[in-house]
Amino acid sequence: MADSLRVAIGGLGAIGGHLARALDAGVEGLRLTAVAARDQDKARQTIAGFRNPPALVALADLAEHADVVVEAAPAAVFETIAESAIARGRIFVPSSVGALLPRMHLLDRARETGARIIVPTGALLGLDAVRAAAEGPVTSVTIETRKPPRGLEGAPYLVENGIEVLGLTAPRLVFKGNAFDAARGFPANVNVAAALALAGIGPERTMVEIWGDPGVTRNTHTIRVEAAAARLTMTIENVPSEENPRTGKITPLSILACLRGLTSTLKVGS
Ligand SMILES: NC(=O)C1=CN([C@@H]2O[C@H](COP(=O)(O)OP(=O)(O)OC[C@H]3O[C@@H](n4cnc5c(N)ncnc54)[C@H](OP(=O)(O)O)[C@@H]3O)[C@@H](O)[C@H]2O)C=CC1
Ligand SMILES: O=C([O-])CC(=O)C(=O)O
């Protein structure tokens, strides 16, 4: 275990909580060394049952304790976690990928410090194929997101535009625009669109549709890519997590798979 990668997690909710438990249960080459959360008592209770309880620290101090810092907190505190991880030259793994789009200066800072920013596939699929296609000419990239109305409730764009989704009886297109504006208007909902944009042709050219759909029980994302080398159409239907219906259960699993890829001898997928 001595030369395993030390992992710190900011946030112990649907993503961070699951990931912390999985790491504590034992993952070769990785060990959980620190966590941060808002409710200290709740966090203490959570980690008290761990085999190897990590340190409970402030968000800005996570990077002192780890080689890899996973951000799994609301977008509002993204910067605190990201800046300290990057300043210390760590591997930074963001969940709130939408919050990275307006902060691309962090990449310049990472180049200075030697930090790496590794965006996990998260609640999406197929970013390996999108990245491959984007090595050649790409005509268009779109993503259509359908969520049960309660998974969209409270999004800033809906509030600002007086759009009520909870009473919907039929699917309604609540947003159409580029990934940059989608991430700003739906910071807790379209991290997948931000990740797609970064994998492919950027947030201005990646087009997003968001539907409130009372007919779906899963957070459903369909990607369409038209490229010189290939045409891609892919759909993922995510089971919402109990802790946070906006977040698909696959998300912490994707981050765990991403972390394993940092140390594993065999790595599958680009
Ligand atoms: N990339 C992707 O594909 C996906 C990304 N996401 C994004 O990932 C992020 C996390 O999602 P999720 O786990 O569902 O969120 P949750 O709301 O379930 O958990 C958030 C966690 O952050 C903690 N937190 C909140 N404020 C602070 C603070 N000021 N200081 C320290 N900790 C804080 C909370 O602490 P406490 O428990 O004490 O309140 C909680 O543990 C979100 O931004 C979400 O949009 C979600 C799904 C997919
Ligand atoms: O589908 C999910 O699980 C979450 C989601 O849309 C996102 O965060 O982008």
Side-chain angles (χ1 to χ4, degrees):
M1 289 284 272
D3 56 359
S4 55
L5 277 183
R6 298 169 303 153
V7 180
I9 307 174
L12 281 178
I15 297 175
H18 185 106
L19 185 60
R21 285 190 295 276
L23 289 172
D24 185 61
V27 176
E28 196 182 343
L30 302 168
R31 73 195 145 101
L32 180 66
T33 49
V35 295
R38 181 175 41 192
D39 183 334
Q40 301 298 295
D41 287 340
K42 193 173 90 184
R44 251 182 236 109
Q45 274 176 26
T46 302
I47 59 176
F50 281 19
R51 293 197 312 189
N52 295 297
L56 179 60
V57 302
L59 287 178
D61 296 335
L62 288 166
E64 278 177 34
H65 297 262
D67 308 300
V68 183
V69 177
V70 178
E71 178 274 324
V77 297
F78 174 88
E79 211 158 80
T80 307
I81 307 174
E83 279 182 355
S84 52
I86 290 167
R88 282 185 171 263
R90 305 308 194 205
I91 296 174
F92 175 58
V93 179
S95 298
S96 308
V97 189
L100 182 58
L101 295 188
R103 297 180 176 84
M104 294 306 279
H105 62 274
L106 291 172
L107 270 68
D108 296 328
R109 183 76 184 116
R111 281 184 200 102
E112 287 166 14
T113 64
R116 297 188 70 208
I117 303 172
I118 299 186
V119 174
T121 304
L124 200 55
L125 78 172
L127 295 188
D128 50 352
V130 176
R131 280 172 51 212
E135 291 287 347
V138 176
T139 311
S140 65
V141 177
T142 65
I143 176 167
E144 181 187 303
T145 287
R146 285 178 185 265
K147 289 199 173 186
R150 75 185 186 114
L152 293 172
E153 192 195 356
Y157 181 89
L158 300 182
V159 174
E160 280 158 25
N161 292 282
I163 301 171
E164 184 52 64
V165 286
L166 284 186
L168 285 178
T169 53
R172 175 170 175 188
L173 178 64
V174 296
F175 175 88
K176 187 171 179 169
N178 70 24
F180 198 85
D181 292 336
R184 191 165 42 199
F186 297 81
N189 282 288
V190 288
N191 296 290
V192 284
L196 176 65
L198 293 171
I201 55 176
E204 267 81 25
R205 288 180 62 206
T206 301
M207 301 312 291
V208 182
E209 282 190 8
I210 302 173
W211 292 75
D213 190 340
V216 300
T217 54
R218 297 184 175 208
N219 299 331
T220 305
H221 306 290
T222 300
I223 301 175
R224 297 184 182 87
V225 177
E226 195 61 53
R231 174 178 301 139
L232 319 177
T233 307
M234 297 177 281
T235 297
I236 188 165
E237 299 177 30
N238 294 327
V239 178
S241 60
E242 285 87 21
E243 298 94 327
N244 181 355
R246 295 169 179 80
T247 294
K249 283 186 177 207
I250 200 166
T251 315
L253 304 182
S254 168
I255 296 175
L256 183 57
C258 168
L259 295 180
R260 274 189 206 276
L262 297 175
T263 62
S264 60
T265 306
L266 173 66
K267 188 167 180 294
V268 180
S270 56

